[in-house]
Structure formats: structure tokens, C-alpha cells
Amino acid sequence: MNDVKSLTQAEAQERAALLEVERYDIAVDLTDLPTGPRVRSVSTITFTCRTPGAATFVDAAATVLHATLNGRELGPAADGRVPLTDLAATNTLVVECEQADTHDGSGVHKAVDPADGEVYLWMTFEPDEARWVWACFDQPDLKAPHAFTVTAPAGWTVTSNSGAAKVTASGSSQVWAFPATPRLSPYNTVINAGPFYELRRQVEGYDLGLFCRRSLAAVLDRDADKLFTVTEQGLRFFGEQFGMPFPQARYDQVFMPEYGGAMENYGCVTWADSFLRRAEPTPAEDELLAKVLLHEMAHMWFGNIVTMRWWDDLWLNEAFAEFACNWAAAEATEYTDAWAGHLADDKLEAYIADQGPTSHPISVEISDVAEAASIFDSITYPKGASVLRQLQVYVGEEAFRTGMTAYFARHAWQNTTLQDLIDELAAVSGKDLNAWRDGWLATAGTDRLSLETAGDQLILVGRGPAGPPRPQVLAVSAYQRQDQALVRTEQVRVEIQSERTPVDLPVGADFYLVNDDDLTFATIRPAAPDLTPLLPTAIARGVGVATSWDALVTGEATAAETAACLAAVLRVETAPAVIEPYLRLAGDVAEYWAGFDRAAIATEVADVCRALAGQPPRRQIALRALARVTTDVDELIAAAGDDVDLGWRALVRKSELGGDTAAEVDALLARDPDPDAKFRALTVRAASPDPAAKAEIWQALTVDRSVPIGSFGLVATALWRPGQDDVLAPYADKYLDLLPNLHRSGMIVAMYFTRRLFPVFTIDEAWLARAREAAAGDVAPVVRKTLAERADEVSRMLRTRSLTKA
């Protein structure tokens, strides 16, 4: 289905030079959906041509039923395009399309709620999937107003970008006529529909809306105050920082079933409803909810109001939104340790990726849109966010804020390039940012920093990917040991411009921490796992943990050493939002990185979990982590009590260890109000070492594709369990057979499938070589990239597993 041409940058430049799109009027018919799969659209595009008589094409990857240009019948579509010849100075194009694949297709999806049989529909278009639903010029720099008219079954609610619609009855249906949007790229638009449960709140002149399927109404009620509060805080913060309030009164957020991640559609953000946790959310889950909300909100400015001209500047959208969500969370919400959470989670993934074979510059040339789908990754997101934080430090926060205000004032509703942003920040800061831009945005790889003493002078020694370190500003702190703690006695900011930089701190401190407060993106040596737990702040301890983790993935530390560091930090950590990521890392060491010493490491992690479980605020997350490593399942089941979520986790562990769980699964299904509870039961089945169970789960995941994306990670993770090599062995090669078709449902699904199904056990370096060879063949770029990144990470795990005590 996805075997259509991908738009090249040259084609996009040629089309943008030729055309100016004045307006889209798009009529969408959803009335077949309650019983059928079809979505119909009529796209009327008004546009001008700078060279009358020229030719171009419109993107239309759905089935084209009829098309006219200026009243003239057009020929059939080919390769997802309708040719347009003999263009006039002013043109009206009308294209009628039908999309019947709303189960596995791109751009649009029909979901049926297993709780009540109700039907919901969502659309998501990044990077170029609007063309799978209606005809459009599907590239970011052909922005235009979009006016949607949607015919939907009576009883449904329809949401779109531009706020409140005029609704009229039409037989057994209703017609929702939305006002025209501001100038938007096609990928920024959206339609969601279904019999939603809706909540609204008025705050500071904004009309805020929350939507979900009816069966999750109670969960949305539980989380509504948090969502409305962070939305209000974010709109206020970004409006002030960017000198431009969000320009539309209505701001909706729609939680949809069978959706992956979240998407920043202008004025109408779509979320996976897996973010509406069925169990009481943990502190880390609450912080993640707030940061995702703020990430998508930041896109209203970076991505929607101002849009990159082409996908080589995707980082302008994604890295900035990721930076801004942590910035806003730390300064405008209760989540003041947001940057520590960033370091404990996503940034560690970026360090691994940036030192591996798939690393690339943050700003990278993109030849076509298919290649663009491969850079929605840890380099673009968490590394990009960390680099932008470094830029804020480098130019100064006030200059950064002033530059952002000037940038939005100058470029609102237009398209920009990297240089436009650099020019504004250079102008207000007075700094020449060319070397900074070339080092940080045009160069792949990670700097390495260390501290040495030359007489009575401390020297910061830096090494970049190709020689000298990048220009950067960071903090170095001196600590003295007092009893069982390290106390910071002095901190200085250091600007690095060469390989050796004097540090204005006295020698003789008990400990020096390079990159204290985590202001830059660089790895630090040496690691100090014994001293890390003694550091006084979450972010300082986070720098220590990150250094130990980096030593693990680079082969300089064993799994046991890393687990010991994590265990020691967990016993003293006070920041709620980082305890859960550290427990996850400890569980990962025991499951994926440990070799001969897996049982001993698991026991050490389990002991920490039991200690934390004795503290009421930590009990929930500690028992969740214990479920990964304990061999005493009865203890875990007893501790779970009436907690349904912990009950499922206990049964997964019992199943993994070969226990009979059938009766307990049936009993828990009867108690669980979650409409998706059957997928928790499937996760229990997936963990079993029974060959029939593995075959059943593989069929559901890869052939039937009956596991929705929100549950896919749980089930796939349970499939690949340590100690089950014999029963899992056949699935390594079955995975390779999947590769050519993993992209067929779009970018997000391709990334999920490629990473989550990747074998982590029962394979060796020879198999990894075969996997890389297979990925070099006829597979989508996003699949090739995701596989190569995961293969590198698993190769590092294999190396660590092979280490011996000697």
C-alpha cells in the first residue's frame, strides 16, 4: 500500500517555486464507518501558478475517484500522484478520493472500543500522510488555510484545528462545518471523530477541551485537573517567553484508542489514550504526561506558526519542542526536576545513539520524505533538546528569550531554515554563532570531558568527535566530604574554546563534578560510582549515574558495577521523578546486560525494591520494579493485594517462570475495568516459555496485527524473556522476514515494530550481521535506521554479557 513515490527535496523546491496555495476546502464523509471501513473526501484546492502553462502534480495516495482542473477532466493517478498540466495563472483543482484501508493504512485509522463496540476515527499526517486521505500538496512549505466540512454519524463529535464548528442535521447524519484555519502545512491538520466523552474549562480567555472514548470517562475525570492546570501554565509560559500568545481561543486535546504517541495538530492535539493510565499514575508518569503536553504545545509555535521549509530542519520543530517542554516544566509547573528526569531517561538513549553507527548531525540533509521519517530519533529529540539548552546557556537566557521573540515576530505563519534562527540569536547576543552552529548542528558524535591538575591549576580537557571539543559553556563544581555526604563548596561556569581550558577552582577538593547541573551534552570521565550517591542534588547525582551508564555501554564497566551504582543511588534518591527511571535502568541491567551474574544482580535489585516498598510514597513503583526480578511470585501477589495493575505484573512474572496462570488471569479479567484488559492477559500469555504461547503471540503481533500500538510494547517485551532461548530461537529469523513490510502502516508503527520485535536473546554477532545485511536491502529507511540503532545497542549488551569476573 505504501509503495508510492516519496517526494524528493528537488521536487518540493520546484513545486514551491511554481505554486502558491491560496486555500483548501476539504469535505470529508465518515458515514460508512459505523459498519464499514471507508472514508471519502473531496479536496478543492485554489492555487496560483507563477508560470502559466507549466506542469506539476498533486499528491493523492488514496484511491482517486474523480479529478478536475479548472473544469477539465484529469487522467488517472499513478504512484500516488495526479499529474497537472497546462496550469493557468489561477487554478481550481477538485479531487474526490476514497480510503478503504482504515485498519493498517497510513494517515487514518478506525478503532473499535472492545468495551462497548463504539467506533472512533483519528487522522495523523506527519511527515506526509495527509495524501492518504485527501489530495494535497503534501510538503511543509506550501502552507494555506484549510476549511473542513465533515459529515459524520449522528451522535458523534468531530474535532479539528480551528475550534467550534457549525453543526447541522442531514438525515441520519450531521454536518460539521469548521472555520478556515490560519496558514498551515498539510501535516499540521487533523480530523478526529467518534462518540466522545468531553470536558471543557475556561481559563485566561482560552476555551480548553479534553476528549476520550466513553469507556475511559472515569480516567479522564481523574486526570482532568492535572491536564487543565498544565495546559493553562504552558499557554501562559510560552506566550510570555515567545512574545506571542497562542492566537486561537480554543485548544483541544483528544485521547484516541490504538494511537501511538502524540501529535501537535494546530489547536487540536491528538494523544494515545494509553497516556490515560488505568492505574493511579506514578510521579514519573505524571511528569511524562506534563512534558508530552508541553512538547506538543510548544509545536504550536515551533512547527505550526513557524514551520521548517524542508525536513532537513526537522530538528527546528522536534528538538525545540523537546527542549521547551523541559524548560517550561521546570520553570512553570510543579515538575521542577524535569531536567533531571530528562537526563535519567531520554538523554541516556541519545548518548548511546550518538556514539553508534546511526549517529548523524542534528541538522542533516534529507533527500526525500521517506528518509525524513528515519530521523525522528534520539539525535533529533533528546540530543537536540540538550544542545538547545546548551545554546540557551551559551548566549544567555535573556538573549535567548529576546531572540525567540524576534524570530516569531518576523516569521509567523511562514517557513524558515536553521540560519533564520541563528541570525536572530546572534543579533541579540552579540556572539558569532557560526562555529557553534557548525560544531553542534553540523557535526555528529559526542564530546568527552575530563579534569586534570597541572601544578596548582585545574585544567578541563576536552575532545570532540574529530579533534577539539565544541564551543560550549558548562559548570564545574568543587565538593568537600562531610560525614556521609558531599557538600558543594564552589561552582564556576567555564567556556570551552579549545582542548585545554583553565578552571578557576582551588585544587584539593575531595571531588570535582564536571558538567554539574547538566548544562551541556558531553560524556564525562572518570566515572565515580562510589561517590555519586553522596552528591546533594538530583541533577548532580544524575550526571554521576549517566557517567556510570555510559561506561557500561562503552564496555568500560561491568553490569555488576553499574547495578551497584544504581542500587546505591536508589537507596538515597529523593526526587520522585527519577526514582522510577533508575529502577527501570536497574531492571534493564539485570535482564539485558547481565550474563553469568544475572541472578546475583537480580537479587541485588530485588533487595533495593523491597527496601523502597517499605516507604509508602515509593511502594507502587518499587513493587512494579520488583515484578521484573523477583523469584518469589507469591510474595509479589500478596503485596499486590487489590491493585489490579500490580496483579497483572505479578502474573506476567509468574508466567515467565513457568507457572500456571490461567485461573488467575480469568479472575483478574473479571475485576479489571480497563477496556483494554484483554491485552494485559495477552502479555501474561506472551511471557510463558510454552512454544504454543509464543507462536500464538507472534501471530497476533505480526500477522493478524491485532494488538493495538498502545499495548504492543508490553506484549512484545514479554515475548522476549531471558532464559527462554530454546523456545525463542525460531523467531529471530522470522523477524528478518518481516522487514520489507514493517513500514506499511506509517512511520510510528514502523518504528514500534522494528524496535520492539527485535530479538534481544537467542542471537549472536553473526545473526546481528545478517540483520544489518537484510536491512540494507529493500526496506524503508525508517526500518533500516531503527534496526541499525537497535542492533548496535544489542551488540553492546552481548559484549557486556560475555564479560567474566576476571
Side-chain angles (χ1 to χ4, degrees):
M1 174 180 173
N2 283 16
D3 295 327
V4 300
K5 283 187 176 180
S6 180
L7 183 72
T8 68
Q9 183 177 22
E11 290 173 325
Q13 290 172 337
E14 181 179 347
R15 193 161 62 175
L18 185 65
L19 307 181
E20 180 77 23
V21 184
E22 295 185 349
R23 180 182 175 93
Y24 286 95
D25 290 279
I26 300 173
V28 180
D29 187 340
L30 307 179
T31 55
D32 184 60
L33 289 175
T35 57
R38 291 183 293 278
V39 172
R40 285 202 171 194
S41 68
V42 178
S43 181
T44 302
I45 311 172
T46 306
F47 65 98
T48 59
C49 175
R50 297 182 180 91
T51 309
T56 188
F57 59 90
V58 69
D59 302 296
T63 301
V64 176
L65 305 176
H66 186 239
T68 63
L69 175 64
N70 302 326
R72 169 167 52 90
E73 298 283 341
L74 295 177
D79 300 320
R81 300 172 174 185
V82 177
L84 307 177
T85 59
D86 194 21
L87 295 172
T90 300
N91 302 271
T92 301
L93 173 66
V94 181
V95 184
E96 181 179 1
C97 293
E98 178 180 276
Q99 180 54 267
D101 187 356
T102 51
H103 181 262
D104 285 332
S106 298
V108 57
H109 183 79
K110 169 186 172 179
V112 181
D113 189 342
D116 53 20
E118 295 284 9
V119 172
Y120 296 86
L121 176 114
W122 50 258
M123 298 180 185
T124 189
F125 297 145
E126 193 170 29
D128 66 340
E129 295 183 5
R131 60 187 177 141
W132 293 95
V133 189
W134 50 70
C136 59
F137 298 110
D138 211 345
Q139 61 188 76
D141 60 344
L142 285 177
K143 302 175 75 167
H146 290 67
F148 293 107
T149 301
V150 183
T151 303
W156 282 23
T157 298
V158 181
T159 69
S160 189
N161 304 94
S162 55
K166 179 181 179 181
V167 184
T168 57
S170 177
S172 61
S173 305
Q174 289 181 313
V175 178
W176 297 67
F178 290 90
T181 69
R183 285 168 47 85
L184 297 178
S185 302
Y187 84 89
N188 294 143
T189 64
V190 71
I191 291 170
N192 299 306
F196 291 120
Y197 177 67
E198 177 181 4
L199 297 173
R200 305 209 70 81
R201 184 173 295 181
Q202 306 291 319
V203 297
E204 298 186 4
Y206 289 106
D207 178 13
L208 308 182
L210 302 173
F211 300 81
C212 72
R213 49 177 155 154
R214 289 175 179 172
S215 62
L216 292 180
V219 184
L220 186 62
D221 285 340
R222 181 199 67 197
D223 291 348
D225 281 343
K226 289 183 288 191
L227 289 162
F228 281 132
T229 297
V230 176
T231 302
E232 177 183 1
Q233 292 167 332
L235 287 170
R236 183 189 309 123
F237 180 81
F238 290 136
E240 292 171 353
Q241 299 304 315
F242 301 151
M244 175 186 289
F246 182 64
Q248 179 171 285
R250 181 157 166 151
Y251 190 88
D252 288 335
Q253 298 177 84
V254 187
F255 292 85
M256 296 298 293
E258 301 180 14
Y259 191 85
M263 178 61 196
E264 67 266 19
N265 318 299
Y266 179 81
C268 186
V269 175
T270 309
W271 293 68
D273 67 12
S274 56
F275 282 102
L276 298 176
R277 309 289 179 174
R278 314 309 149 83
E280 188 68 28
T282 66
E285 289 171 342
D286 276 339
E287 181 173 296
L288 177 63
L289 184 77
K291 292 207 289 191
V292 172
L293 188 156
L294 294 167
H295 175 109
E296 305 307 330
M297 182 182 288
H299 275 305
M300 300 302 129
W301 289 264
F302 258 94
N304 294 349
I305 293 174
V306 180
T307 312
M308 77 259 154
R309 185 167 297 162
W310 179 245
W311 297 104
D312 50 0
D313 280 326
L314 171 68
W315 81 277
L316 277 175
N317 287 9
E318 298 300 345
F320 195 92
E322 190 68 6
F323 157 77
C325 78
N326 287 285
W327 181 30
E331 300 210 7
T333 78
E334 67 180 276
Y335 303 105
T336 53
D337 286 322
W339 284 114
H342 171 75
L343 173 59
D345 196 350
D346 294 339
K347 193 172 182 181
L348 295 186
E349 295 182 6
Y351 280 134
I352 296 176
D354 202 35
Q355 298 175 79
T358 64
S359 181
H360 58 81
I362 292 174
S363 181
V364 60
E365 292 186 5
I366 297 295
S367 61
D368 64 17
V369 183
E371 186 178 358
S374 71
I375 61 167
F376 287 78
D377 60 11
S378 296
I379 305 300
T380 298
Y381 283 75
K383 181 184 177 181
S386 302
V387 166
L388 283 171
R389 190 183 192 211
Q390 166 56 208
L391 177 60
Q392 184 186 48
V393 173
Y394 191 72
V395 302
E397 188 162 338
E398 186 58 38
F400 187 83
R401 183 184 298 109
T402 303
M404 291 295 98
T405 298
Y407 178 78
F408 287 112
R410 186 183 302 273
H411 299 292
W413 309 114
Q414 299 176 41
N415 295 87
T416 61
T417 66
L418 162 63
Q419 196 59 45
D420 295 314
L421 177 63
I422 293 296
D423 288 347
E424 296 292 349
L425 293 174
V428 298
S429 69
K431 285 197 169 188
D432 181 353
L433 296 179
N434 289 324
W436 189 96
R437 176 199 60 204
D438 292 343
W440 283 107
L441 305 179
T443 306
T446 305
D447 285 6
R448 173 67 57 84
L449 304 175
S450 60
L451 201 62
E452 66 179 42
T453 303
D456 60 355
Q457 178 68 63
L458 293 176
I459 303 294
L460 187 61
V461 180
R463 174 171 54 84
R470 298 168 169 94
Q472 56 199 289
V473 172
L474 68 150
V476 181
S477 298
Y479 289 86
Q480 293 292 339
R481 190 160 185 165
Q482 296 182 9
D483 299 324
Q484 294 302 308
L486 287 169
V487 177
R488 182 194 291 172
T489 57
E490 194 171 350
Q491 182 183 88
V492 294
R493 291 280 180 99
V494 180
E495 181 167 348
I496 296 178
Q497 296 290 346
S498 63
E499 294 183 24
R500 299 177 64 83
T501 305
V503 178
D504 189 18
L505 286 173
V507 298
D510 290 333
F511 181 63
Y512 296 95
L513 184 61
V514 177
N515 194 28
D516 204 352
D517 297 332
D518 194 38
L519 301 180
T520 193
F521 186 89
T523 58
I524 312 301
R525 289 295 186 275
D530 295 336
L531 295 177
T532 294
L534 307 183
L535 289 163
T537 65
I539 196 72
R541 291 188 293 272
V543 172
V545 169
T547 302
S548 291
W549 188 261
D550 186 67
L552 171 73
V553 302
T554 56
E556 301 166 63
T558 66
E561 290 166 341
T562 308
C565 174
L566 286 163
V569 171
L570 280 163
R571 292 183 185 277
V572 300
E573 185 56 66
T574 57
V578 301
I579 294 174
E580 193 168 353
Y582 291 162
L583 284 168
R584 177 183 56 78
L585 291 175
D588 286 350
V589 173
E591 285 190 3
Y592 302 126
W593 296 85
F596 72 93
D597 50 358
R598 177 175 290 136
I601 291 174
T603 298
E604 181 177 23
V605 175
D607 288 344
V608 172
C609 292
R610 292 188 182 97
L612 292 177
Q615 306 170 25
R618 314 281 191 253
R619 179 177 174 80
Q620 179 189 21
I621 58 175
L623 291 177
R624 287 185 178 186
L626 183 63
R628 296 181 64 181
V629 293
T630 185
T631 55
D632 189 346
V633 178
D634 291 337
E635 170 200 25
L636 190 62
I637 292 173
D642 294 330
D643 189 319
V644 172
D645 173 69
L646 286 175
W648 284 120
R649 293 170 189 268
L651 291 183
V652 170
R653 183 61 172 167
K654 182 175 182 178
S655 177
E656 178 185 348
L657 297 176
D660 181 5
T661 60
E664 292 161 297
V665 165
D666 289 343
L668 201 51
L669 277 172
R671 289 174 48 208
D672 193 345
D674 181 4
D676 297 321
K678 69 177 183 180
F679 299 111
R680 299 298 296 270
L682 203 64
T683 304
V684 177
R685 180 77 169 148
S688 170
D690 176 26
K694 297 299 186 188
E696 173 190 330
I697 297 303
W698 188 262
Q699 175 79 19
L701 289 170
T702 67
V703 180
D704 301 337
R705 291 199 173 195
S706 56
V707 180
I709 201 72
S711 301
F712 191 91
L714 281 175
V715 178
T717 299
L719 175 75
W720 291 103
R721 295 288 79 208
Q724 299 181 357
D725 286 18
D726 290 344
V727 70
L728 289 170
Y731 296 97
D733 284 350
K734 287 179 183 292
Y735 172 84
L736 299 182
D737 294 338
L738 297 174
L739 296 179
N741 294 309
L742 286 182
H743 67 293
R744 77 179 197 218
S745 297
M747 176 185 73
I748 297 294
V749 173
M751 290 191 291
Y752 266 70
F753 275 48
T754 307
R755 181 172 180 83
R756 298 290 190 176
L757 291 172
F758 193 98
V760 288
F761 304 108
T762 196
I763 49 94
D764 55 19
E765 286 292 347
W767 184 90
L768 290 175
R770 290 173 51 218
R772 295 184 185 102
E773 182 179 355
D778 186 21
V779 301
V782 63
V783 174
R784 182 179 306 118
K785 167 69 179 304
T786 306
L787 182 147
E789 189 172 89
R790 186 59 170 160
D792 175 64
E793 188 175 4
V794 172
S795 177
R796 295 170 186 268
M797 293 175 185
L798 292 178
R799 177 185 60 200
T800 302
R801 290 176 200 167
S802 70
L803 296 177
T804 65
K805 289 182 180 179

